[in-house]
């Protein structure tokens, strides 16, 4: 299954590198992970369904991933906003950039874990301290 993710990711990264201007190529390459892992998820679900003899609850799987996707999107948006605000106020250089990145990352993590926990995503209940 990891091979499928890798093949799709390599194809998308290569296409984005060749087709996009250098200014956007790196960002677009990072964005190639989303469709790569989405395809990996579909392949994994199909294989699990086949091995489980049809006993896999697709609805639960879809709902869980939808919840986690919303939580990740909200965390990413707020994390980006915090990083941009810090970057604007702190200026340029290694230390301000590091602080901006750290603030954005911490915001993303806190918002993601908090919002993913609200709809009781089963995967997060297994983490210590998040019951």
């Amino acid at each position: 299954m990891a091979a499928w993710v890798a093949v799709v990711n390599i194809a998308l990264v290569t296409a984005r590198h060749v087709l996009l201007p250098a200014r956007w190529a790196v960002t677009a390459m990072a964005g190639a992970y989303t469709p790569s892992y989405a395809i990996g998820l579909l392949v994994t679900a199909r294989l699990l369904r086949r091995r489980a003899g049809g006993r896999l609850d697709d609805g639960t799987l879809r709902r869980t991933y939808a919840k986690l996707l919303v939580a990740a999107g909200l965390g990413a948006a707020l994390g980006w906003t915090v990083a941009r605000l810090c970057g604007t106020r702190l200026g340029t250089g290694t230390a301000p950039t590091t602080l901006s990145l750290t603030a954005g990352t911490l915001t993303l993590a806190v918002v993601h874990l908090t919002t993913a926990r609200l709809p009781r995503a089963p995967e997060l209940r297994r983490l210590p301290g998040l019951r």
Side-chain angles (χ1 to χ4, degrees):
M1 289 176 278
W4 283 105
V5 172
V7 165
V8 172
N9 194 40
I10 289 168
L12 289 173
V13 165
T14 302
R16 291 170 184 208
H17 175 70
V18 170
L19 298 173
L20 293 173
R23 178 176 182 206
W24 294 105
V26 173
T27 303
M29 284 185 232
Y33 280 106
T34 300
S36 299
Y37 281 104
I39 290 171
L41 173 64
L42 294 174
V43 170
T44 300
R46 184 174 181 204
L47 289 173
L48 284 173
R49 189 179 311 110
R50 188 180 307 151
R51 288 190 182 168
R55 294 183 310 256
L56 183 66
D57 184 4
D58 287 345
T60 301
L61 187 65
R62 283 190 200 108
R63 281 189 300 278
T64 296
Y65 278 97
K67 292 173 190 177
L68 294 175
L69 183 62
V70 168
L74 184 59
L78 290 175
W80 179 83
T81 302
V82 167
R84 291 288 290 188
L85 287 173
C86 288
T88 302
R89 294 177 193 261
L90 297 175
T92 59
T94 303
T97 301
T98 302
L99 288 172
S100 298
L101 177 64
T102 302
T105 301
L106 288 174
T107 302
L108 185 150
V110 168
V111 170
H112 176 70
L113 289 174
T114 302
T115 55
R117 185 172 178 228
L118 290 175
R120 302 183 187 272
E123 290 80 5
L124 290 178
R125 280 186 264 154
R126 293 184 189 119
L127 294 175
L130 290 177
R131 297 182 190 276

